[in-house]
Amino acid sequence: TFFFCVPPPSAMSRNYSKVAKGPRRPFESERLDAELKLCGEYGLRCKREIWRVNLALAKIRKTARALLTLEEDHPRRLFEGEALMRRLHRYGILPEDKDRIDYCLNLKPADFLERRLQTLVFKRGLAKSIHHARTLVKQRHIRVGKQTVNVASFLVRVENAKFIDFSFSSPFGGGRPGRLARQKAKGNGAEAQDDDE
């Protein structure tokens, strides 16, 4: 007799798709050097973070190329083109003055990496280095507006960039002191009592 394990309905209905696609040629020295430079410049954890951006960029370029083949007054080109440009402007990937679909073909991975929360935390002077910025984000010290965000690759919208600050519960933002600070305070208090005696 055979026993078949039937997964629950929720697992069956999930639609998984890959968010990153590795390079076709794994050992191309120019690409390896360029990726390593990006990893260092933006404090990325691994090459997969670059590949994820590359896949998002490839999808945008593919959509732009498909729309450019249509007539300028075609309803699909008007509707989808405006939606695509609005999304790129909202996240600050393209400046507002560049409002033609052609500009999507000139985008580079660095345009996306510039809008990551990790990069913006460092550029706003909240962190000492790009790596320190990642640590602050992962340890829940950073908020965007009222929402604490602990994802370093979070893409920040243009209107939200000015609301990046230390979270209310963080010791840096006026919250409860950290574990070591509390231990030091406790130790100093005990020493002061000994001196009084």
Side-chain angles (χ1 to χ4, degrees), residues 76-192:
R76 183 180 160 212
R77 177 169 171 170
L78 292 172
F79 183 74
E80 290 186 19
E82 279 180 25
L84 177 65
M85 298 311 292
R86 189 167 55 245
R87 197 160 69 243
L88 292 175
H89 292 322
R90 186 185 294 154
Y91 284 101
I93 295 163
L94 268 181
E96 288 285 342
D97 56 335
K98 295 188 175 181
D99 56 350
R100 288 193 4 250
I101 302 174
D102 310 29
Y103 291 114
C104 295
L105 303 177
N106 298 330
L107 286 173
K108 293 181 172 58
D111 297 325
F112 284 81
L113 297 174
E114 284 289 337
R115 299 304 304 170
R116 284 161 53 98
L117 180 60
Q118 179 183 354
T119 311
L120 293 175
V121 165
F122 173 56
K123 292 205 168 175
R124 285 181 67 83
L126 299 175
K128 295 171 189 169
S129 71
I130 195 80
H131 305 289
H132 183 221
R134 189 182 186 97
T135 305
L136 287 177
V137 172
K138 291 304 285 181
Q139 293 178 357
R140 303 178 64 84
H141 289 295
I142 302 296
R143 66 182 167 90
V144 179
K146 291 181 180 176
Q147 181 68 49
T148 300
V149 183
N150 68 338
V151 179
S153 62
F154 178 79
L155 286 182
V156 182
R157 293 184 178 187
V158 174
E159 68 264 22
N160 292 340
K162 57 181 175 288
F163 298 121
I164 296 172
D165 204 354
F166 290 117
S167 61
F168 300 120
S169 59
S170 165
F172 304 115
R176 181 182 180 212
R179 181 174 59 86
L180 286 175
R182 290 199 306 273
Q183 277 182 358
K184 282 182 183 174
K186 191 176 175 183
N188 291 342
E191 285 174 15

